[in-house]
Each structure stands twice: as structure tokens, then as C-alpha cells.
Amino acid sequence: MARKILTVFGTRPEAIKLFPLVHTLEGDARFVSRVCVTGQHRGMLDQVLQIAGVAPDHDLDVMQPDQSLDALTARLLTGIGQVLDAERPDWVVVQGDTATAMCGALAAYYRKIRVAHVEAGLRSGHIYHPWPEEANRKIIGTMAHLHCAPTDTAADALRGENVDPATIHVTGNTVIDALHWVTARIRERPEIAGGLAQWETRFAGRRIIGVTSHRRENFGEGMQAIAGAIRRIAARDDVALIFPVHLNPHVRQVMQAELAGLDNVALIEPLDYPHFARLLDIATLMLTDSGGVQEEAPALGKPVLVMRETTERPEGIAAGTARLVGTDAARIVAETCRLLDDADAYAAMARAHNPFGDGTSAQRIVDLLAAG
């Protein structure tokens, strides 16, 4: 009898990292695949669903204006619980470290349904960095029956927490599967990522720096410092910065106030997945506080400067594909200029081996679900 798998996700990064798994499950006769989305990122989630051709079986649409984390958690837990009662799956699959992932695992645990955790074992070692994601990961790790660790480092972290070694498997990260999928689609249909053409034309002859910033722990002084660093970098006449600005007002208000009107800074709306892949492709380097960019950009040979104090992806730091620069404006500027001005330093990062996967992670995970 085919096993029923319920894949639960709610944010854009989760959708990107799980659609390769959904595709693989749907093409495998060993499984009945069901999808529940929570709408934790409404518009950005829907973009990925449309591009990837994923039609959810359940959509909880949980977000409300200015919703607190505890109110969100309550809505997620009860909403996912109702879906589990209706579907009664053999496995629940969650990914990463979001409130959706944590509540999906907890609701499954309450019903004694097995949980598979994709991208398991990431740890920064600091419960407030990233916040609240570090705690979410650890909570999921105590309940999961299958831990799909992207790297040996992540697997070692789980073993260090006394997780049963038989449940830990190094699978690589499905984000690389997704990136390979979307870049192949862009080659077939360039128009799906053609929305950046105006900026590519406008900034011709300049080196493009891609920027993303949205982490909660950077709200306030950190976000102000990041904006100040971008302003100083933009004073160079050989660069341009393309910054898809997150919808959160804690990000948007600061960046508009500090950077609007600069000729070589494009403050643009959040990008759908093909356009973001295109930004990675045309960028010389990435400035980010995102987790996923630390994995994606090195797959295209692009150095990453991580504007955070800690990272739950130390493999990139160790491999040399990424460097922690924190939110000190002077350091962000200095490290950016070093990569722009020192060809050897740039090449060392651009050519470093990406430790996060080879593009076949989804099939490995599906085979583990079949064997478990």
C-alpha cells in the first residue's frame, strides 16, 4: 500500500526547498503526496507555488496584520492539527526552522505521526541568533523520526545532542536541487526572469552587488547599520546594488529612508524565484543576512558576506564560500571593498567548493521515506 506523505510549509524559503521533494514524491508510485501550506508568507509563497506547479491540498492562510509570534503559533498548531486529523498521513515532512515547521512537527507529535525534518541539524549555538529560528530547529529535532541533515557538520550537531544515529542521514540540501531546476527553466524560457533587464541595462559596466536583509535580530540598530554600509559602498563609481526589499516595515522603512534616490541603488520589490536566481547569476557578490543565500550563491560561484553575528551554516565559512561580517558598517564596507579590489581574495571565495549539495537531495530523502 502506498504511504501517504503530508508535506507542510508556509514561507517562500520552505516552498523553494520543498518543491523538488513534492515533485519527486508525486512521481513515485510508492507514495500518495499531499501538501498543506499555511500562508506564513502569502504573496511570496504563492509565487513559488505557481512557478513550481504545486497545487496545495490545504491552505490555512494564517497570517493577520501585526500578528504576534504566539498568536501565529496558536493558529498554526490548531490549523495543522485539523489537517492531520483529516488526512491521517504516515509521515509529516517539515523543512528548516520556521514557526510553520515547528508547529507541523508538534501537531504530528501530539498524534504520534512520524516526522521527517528536511535540513535538520543546523545550529548557530545561540538561542537568539537567529531568533526565533534557532529554538524552532532544536524543538523539531527532539520530535523528528528522520533527520535529513544537509552536511556532515549538521549531522555531527545532531549526534552531539544524543539524537539516535540511525535516524540521521546526510542528504545534501534540496535548495541546490531547486536552483538547478529553476536555472534550467530560465535557459529554456529566458522571459520568466526578464524583469531585471532594465537594471542590467542601466547598470551596464558596473559590478552588481545583490543585497537581501530581513532577520528579526537585525531590526533596529542592525538594520540602520546595514543601510549605512550600503550607502557607503554605493559611493564607489564602479558598483551598483540591487536590493529586493523585504515587505516587513522594520526593513522597508529603514531602507527607503536611507537609500531612496541613490542613482546606483535599486530598491525593488521582492523577487519571485526565477528573478532571484537571475540576480544571483548576474551579481559579483551577495550581501545578506539570509540563510538560504549562503547555500545558493556558492552554487553559482558567488562569494557571500553574511551580515549576522553567527550562522547556523558554518560549513560555508569553513569552506571559504561565505564570511561573517556582522552588522558593523565599517566591517561590511571593508570586506566588500576587499573582494572588489583584491582579485585573489575574490577568486579564493568564488572557486571554493560548495558544501551544501549536488542537486540530488530530494531523491535521497524520498528513498529514506520509503525505507523508514
Side-chain angles (χ1 to χ4, degrees), residues 117 119-126 129-130 133-134 136-142 147 153-154 157-158 161 163 310-315:
H117 188 197
E119 198 182 73
L122 276 64
R123 299 289 185 271
S124 72
H126 192 306
H129 294 280
E133 289 84 359
E134 181 76 1
N136 288 341
R137 287 191 205 102
K138 293 172 72 69
I139 292 168
I140 298 167
T142 65
H147 304 263
T153 300
L158 291 166
E161 295 174 357
V163 173
T310 60
T311 180
E312 68 284 9
R313 293 167 173 83
E315 301 91 338

Side-chain angles (χ1 to χ4, degrees), residues 47-63:
Q47 290 174 353
V48 178
L49 295 175
Q50 181 177 6
I51 292 159
V54 174
D57 301 288
H58 304 272
D59 190 335
L60 302 181
D61 199 20
V62 297
M63 291 307 291

Side-chain angles (χ1 to χ4, degrees), residues 178-319:
L179 189 61
H180 288 339
W181 184 90
V182 77
T183 52
R185 294 302 178 277
I186 293 170
R187 285 194 296 271
E188 295 169 1
R189 298 176 53 206
E191 70 275 9
I192 69 173
L196 292 179
Q198 62 173 313
W199 302 110
E200 294 180 52
T201 300
R202 176 175 171 177
F203 296 146
R206 296 175 182 257
R207 287 177 286 181
I208 291 174
I209 300 171
V211 185
T212 71
S213 186
H214 70 278
R215 304 304 289 200
R216 289 175 182 268
E217 65 267 27
N218 283 343
F219 290 174
E221 292 182 2
M223 205 61 64
Q224 288 284 352
I226 290 169
I230 293 170
R231 175 176 282 276
R232 289 169 60 182
I233 294 165
R236 295 178 59 122
D237 60 10
D238 62 337
V239 302
L241 297 98
I242 299 179
F243 188 168
V245 183
H246 198 277
L247 297 175
N248 192 301
H250 292 284
V251 180
R252 184 157 288 217
Q253 291 172 5
V254 172
M255 297 308 167
Q256 289 290 344
E258 294 292 330
L259 303 174
L262 295 180
D263 288 342
N264 59 338
V265 177
L267 298 177
I268 63 176
E269 293 301 307
L271 297 173
D272 66 19
Y273 188 44
H275 284 92
F276 189 73
R278 178 62 181 168
L279 176 58
L280 292 177
D281 194 32
I282 65 176
T284 297
L285 62 95
M286 293 296 298
L287 295 175
T288 188
D289 60 12
S290 166
V293 176
Q294 297 174 53
E295 301 157 343
E296 293 166 305
L300 299 179
K302 305 306 170 73
V304 181
L305 296 181
V306 184
M307 299 183 294
R308 289 162 55 178
E309 302 303 324
T310 60
T311 180
E312 68 284 9
R313 293 167 173 83
E315 301 91 338
I317 308 301

